[in-house]
Amino acid sequence: MITRSFGRDPHQVSLLGFGAQRIVDEHGCSEEQAIAIVRRAVELGVNYFDTAPSYSDGQSETRLGKGLKGLRDKVWIATKTGGRTRDLAWRDLEASLKRLQTDYVDEWRVHNVMQPHDFEAIFAKGGALEALVEAREQGLVRKLSISGHTDPRLLAEAIRRFPFDSALVALSALDHFIYSFAHEFVPLAVEKGVAVIGMKVMALGQLAPWTEQALRYTWSLPVSTAILGVSKMSELEADVEAVNRFVPMTDIERVAFFQEIISLVRPDVLRWKAS
């Protein structure tokens, strides 16, 4: 498994990140299947796992916790809070730790900062950022993070204002063309040593006909890891095969790929970014 350093931290995380949002009933994945998939991922060298309390009302965290039982020292667990206040964020963390069956998480992030009012609430007195800092001081979390799908300018301002350890951002090839995190956020993050985690790699399935190119595009960026959602063992196996044969995309290959997919750069496709 290819690994990369986690921003300023030399700790190595797998280039293929496990997106646990889909190991739930809602995506046709039973608990037994979920546990088997998670444990197989660790066997195959995946050590980065991403979840959130909002994923199927905590079912994702619960199943991830069961799947990683006995493997905690081998993996990096990231979870999130949708709370914008200190108190709501603390409640999220306390519940997440119970569901994940752990006494700490490696990375805790403010989830989906979309609008300026989200941003201001997080940084305000009594805002969620206070909970993040307190939790790190208490040893309940190790790294502090922020995520956003929509506007790279908000995330750029966030890492200027506070030394976040990482950021989870939309980095599909389609995202390249509008409100581009690759253009407007990633260079600043790299300069500041902020670990970049890619998401929306397959653009909610829209890039499925170009799976190999889509993965190579995102992995060729200066990301620490990129999260791919998994609900079937076959999907995990295919993702691992893809990362094991990964070769960085050349400029010529990237332009050819863009020519094939440019017609998909539309609001109905990029639903997380435009209305």
Side-chain angles (χ1 to χ4, degrees):
M1 174 61 64
I2 298 168
T3 62
R4 291 182 181 170
S5 59
F6 190 77
R8 294 181 290 267
D9 193 316
H11 179 84
Q12 297 290 301
V13 293
S14 54
L15 183 55
L16 173 60
F18 187 105
Q21 184 175 7
R22 293 169 53 199
I23 53 168
V24 295
D25 293 343
E26 185 180 345
H27 287 278
C29 184
S30 70
E31 182 171 292
E32 183 181 5
Q33 289 170 323
I35 291 170
I37 292 167
V38 168
R39 298 187 78 80
R40 179 62 175 152
V42 177
E43 285 179 7
L44 292 170
V46 177
N47 68 4
Y48 189 95
F49 291 81
D50 173 88
T51 185
S54 59
Y55 296 162
S56 296
D57 295 322
Q59 190 178 71
S60 169
E61 287 185 324
T62 298
R63 290 184 175 179
L64 185 60
K66 290 179 178 180
L68 293 175
K69 192 169 184 179
L71 301 172
R72 183 66 185 89
D73 61 341
K74 298 179 182 293
V75 298
W76 182 283
I77 299 176
T79 193
K80 311 178 183 76
T81 175
R84 297 310 188 223
T85 67
R86 173 191 174 278
D87 292 347
L88 288 174
W90 262 114
R91 264 180 254 167
D92 275 349
L93 180 59
E94 289 166 355
S96 290
L97 291 172
K98 288 178 183 176
R99 286 189 291 261
L100 288 164
Q101 301 182 46
T102 183
D103 55 4
Y104 73 96
V105 291
D106 299 280
E107 188 181 3
W108 192 32
R109 59 175 132 258
V110 181
H111 198 175
N112 195 16
V113 179
M114 293 181 67
Q115 301 290 343
H117 63 79
D118 292 314
F119 180 89
E120 295 304 332
I122 290 159
F123 280 90
K125 182 174 175 55
L129 186 59
E130 290 184 8
L132 268 70
V133 173
E134 291 168 7
R136 182 173 61 183
E137 289 171 350
Q138 294 180 29
L140 298 176
V141 304
R142 292 183 172 178
K143 302 294 183 181
L144 306 185
S145 184
I146 191 166
S147 74
H149 309 68
T150 307
D151 190 341
R153 295 167 299 183
L154 287 177
L155 275 288
E157 178 58 24
I159 65 172
R160 289 189 189 101
R161 195 179 293 194
F162 181 83
F164 286 101
D165 297 294
S166 68
L168 172 65
V169 296
L171 283 174
S172 78
L174 296 178
D175 284 290
H176 186 98
F177 296 99
I178 181 168
Y179 295 113
S180 174
F181 284 93
H183 292 156
E184 300 184 51
F185 176 78
V186 170
L188 179 64
V190 171
E191 178 187 321
K192 290 184 171 292
V194 176
V196 177
I197 300 117
M199 64 172 163
K200 294 288 186 287
V201 178
M202 300 305 299
L204 299 181
Q206 294 290 330
L207 292 177
W210 302 273
T211 296
E212 193 83 12
Q213 295 104 308
L215 295 173
R216 288 181 65 208
Y217 166 81
T218 303
W219 285 333
S220 296
L221 296 171
V223 296
S224 293
T225 185
I227 295 166
L228 295 179
V230 175
S231 61
K232 297 181 179 67
M233 189 69 78
S234 59
E235 293 170 349
L236 170 67
E237 302 277 358
D239 292 343
V240 171
E241 287 177 10
V243 76
N244 286 341
R245 63 175 177 264
F246 165 64
V247 176
M249 196 171 242
T250 67
D251 290 344
I252 292 172
E253 288 175 320
R254 186 164 52 248
V255 170
F257 180 34
F258 288 162
Q259 288 175 327
E260 291 186 53
I261 65 172
I262 191 68
S263 63
L264 291 174
V265 183
R266 306 189 308 264
D268 61 308
V269 174
L270 289 156
R271 300 193 303 274
W272 58 92
K273 190 165 276 189
S275 64

